[in-house]
Amino acid sequence: MAVVNIAEQEMKPDEVLLRLKYVGFCGSDLSTYLGKNPMVRMPVIPGHEVGAVIERVGADVPEGLRPGMTVTVNPYTNCGKCASCRGGRVNACQHNETLGVQRNGAMRELIALPWEKVIPAGLLTPRTCALIEPMSVGFHAVSRAQVTDIDVVLVIGCGMVGMGAVVRSVQRGATVVAADIDDEKLALAKQVGASYTINTQTDDVHSRLLEMTSGFGPDVVIEAVGSTATYQMAVDEVAFTGRVICIGYAKSEVSFQTKFFVQKELDIRGSRNAQPSDFRAVIHYLERGTCPVDRLISREVTPQEAPAAMQQWAERPGKVFRILVKW
């Protein structure tokens, strides 16, 4: 990772030029840094968790977007022609290119983007805006799970995406169990509404879940880690006729007792990225002012400090929620 100079983009008539204020590093950026991200096209400018201010607008941009507005960004593309796009699920576009993964991202002073991808953030600060995208991924997983107020939801992994899943499940009236290996993250999950927590390294996960659910197991399990152990845990622990929602990308093949797929008559669903409605829902949540934003931000660094911060994160991955680069 290095800091370099690049030429300023030429802005098209239907684009908005953004001046970046804060951009977050996410787990996919860490995977890219470690050479473990199978989807990335290298070399790449990272960054898709954006808090920015509109610098200029092109001639064909609608009046609702004006210079000086605080905004975030929908960092995904959609082709409009594949099966996902035809069905209205543009977040799962077959040919999606995410900022900072398949195309150059937002870790830069200025970026020009199509106006449709720029989302006004009301009175939120650019710093808070950098949390919107990862939380929206968790919100979308809850929609995929069709969570209701009679469900017990187990969220495995309490990073930013998992925290979004906890928040949205609580908003829908569900009883939430948060599971992680880090007690600080579990305490924060409790603060945003989880009823119970489980440390998967020190607790007997199976017996604790049976105690919490009167022997039934959780109705919904949201996997937000992407490891062999957590994928297997999701299938093993979910209740009969439950729903398993998969967000995390496992880095290797996962072996399952497939008898549970049939015996439990499970719904196993992937959850990818987020819909525009998920972004709006997160903005609405953050506008309430109840989110412990400062506790979700582990560090703020300058661009020059970013390489060292990423190396430190790689050495202690479990202790970071979000690193924000302040431009």
Side-chain angles (χ1 to χ4, degrees):
M1 182 177 285
V3 180
V4 299
N5 289 319
I6 59 173
E8 184 176 332
Q9 289 176 275
E10 291 186 13
M11 192 177 70
K12 299 174 183 177
D14 65 343
E15 289 185 332
V16 175
L17 184 67
L18 302 181
R19 182 167 293 279
L20 283 305
K21 297 296 184 181
Y22 290 89
V23 182
F25 277 125
C26 91
S28 67
D29 297 318
L30 180 60
S31 294
T32 298
Y33 179 75
L34 296 173
K36 297 179 179 180
N37 188 343
M39 296 178 293
V40 73
R41 294 176 188 166
M42 298 287 274
V44 70
I45 299 172
H48 56 260
E49 303 175 355
V50 172
V53 172
I54 295 177
E55 183 86 354
R56 292 200 309 272
V57 298
D60 296 340
V61 174
E63 293 182 2
L65 295 172
R66 302 178 302 278
M69 292 180 69
T70 297
V71 297
T72 191
V73 167
N74 181 331
Y76 325 119
T77 63
N78 52 283
C79 69
K81 300 176 182 179
C82 70
S84 302
C85 290
R86 286 173 60 192
R89 291 162 65 176
V90 296
N91 58 292
C93 174
Q94 181 179 351
H95 307 291
N96 168 66
E97 294 186 352
T98 298
L99 285 174
V101 185
Q102 294 92 356
R103 58 189 173 127
N104 282 330
M107 284 288 179
R108 55 175 105 177
E109 292 177 288
L110 296 162
I111 188 171
L113 294 170
W115 69 266
E116 296 94 338
K117 299 299 181 181
V118 177
I119 303 172
L123 298 178
L124 296 181
T125 66
R127 180 172 177 262
T128 299
C129 285
L131 305 180
I132 293 171
E133 191 275 341
M135 293 195 78
S136 72
V137 176
F139 272 46
H140 182 67
V142 173
S143 295
R144 291 283 292 141
Q146 297 175 299
V147 170
T148 72
D149 58 352
I150 62 172
D151 288 323
V152 176
V153 178
L154 170 65
V155 178
I156 306 175
C158 294
M160 278 296 299
V161 171
M163 209 63 71
V166 170
V167 168
R168 193 57 164 166
S169 297
V170 170
Q171 286 184 333
R172 292 192 173 202
T175 300
V176 178
V177 182
D180 200 279
I181 61 174
D182 186 86
D183 287 330
E184 291 181 27
K185 291 183 178 179
L186 292 173
L188 188 51
K190 262 289 190 73
Q191 186 175 343
V192 299
S195 297
Y196 306 100
T197 60
I198 295 176
N199 187 310
T200 56
Q201 283 192 326
T202 59
D203 295 333
D204 184 328
V205 175
H206 182 68
S207 62
R208 288 287 310 281
L209 285 171
L210 291 181
E211 290 172 10
M212 297 169 183
T213 61
S214 302
F216 293 109
D219 305 284
V220 174
V221 178
I222 297 176
E223 197 288 331
V225 176
S227 75
T228 298
T230 52
Y231 262 82
Q232 291 171 336
M233 182 190 300
V235 172
D236 290 347
E237 301 299 341
V238 71
F240 274 64
T241 68
R243 289 100 73 197
V244 175
I245 309 301
C246 307
I247 309 175
Y249 283 90
K251 308 303 185 291
S252 59
E253 292 184 1
V254 183
S255 298
F256 290 105
Q257 290 288 343
T258 55
K259 66 178 183 180
F260 289 147
F261 295 9
V262 178
Q263 288 179 346
K264 292 186 176 183
E265 199 174 54
L266 298 181
D267 288 337
I268 301 177
R269 306 174 186 175
S271 182
R272 184 182 179 192
N273 300 331
Q275 291 270 25
S277 58
D278 300 307
F279 282 84
R280 293 197 301 272
V282 173
I283 291 171
H284 183 63
Y285 163 66
L286 292 172
E287 284 178 332
R288 297 176 184 173
T290 58
C291 178
V293 169
D294 290 338
R295 293 192 63 189
L296 294 174
I297 299 170
S298 304
R299 290 181 67 183
E300 293 181 24
V301 298
T302 66
Q304 291 73 23
E305 295 167 336
M310 186 62 81
Q311 179 59 39
Q312 291 160 6
W313 187 13
E315 294 167 358
R316 299 188 70 199
K319 289 296 181 182
V320 171
F321 275 107
R322 270 303 174 275
I323 296 171
L324 298 188
V325 178
K326 183 177 181 179
W327 290 89

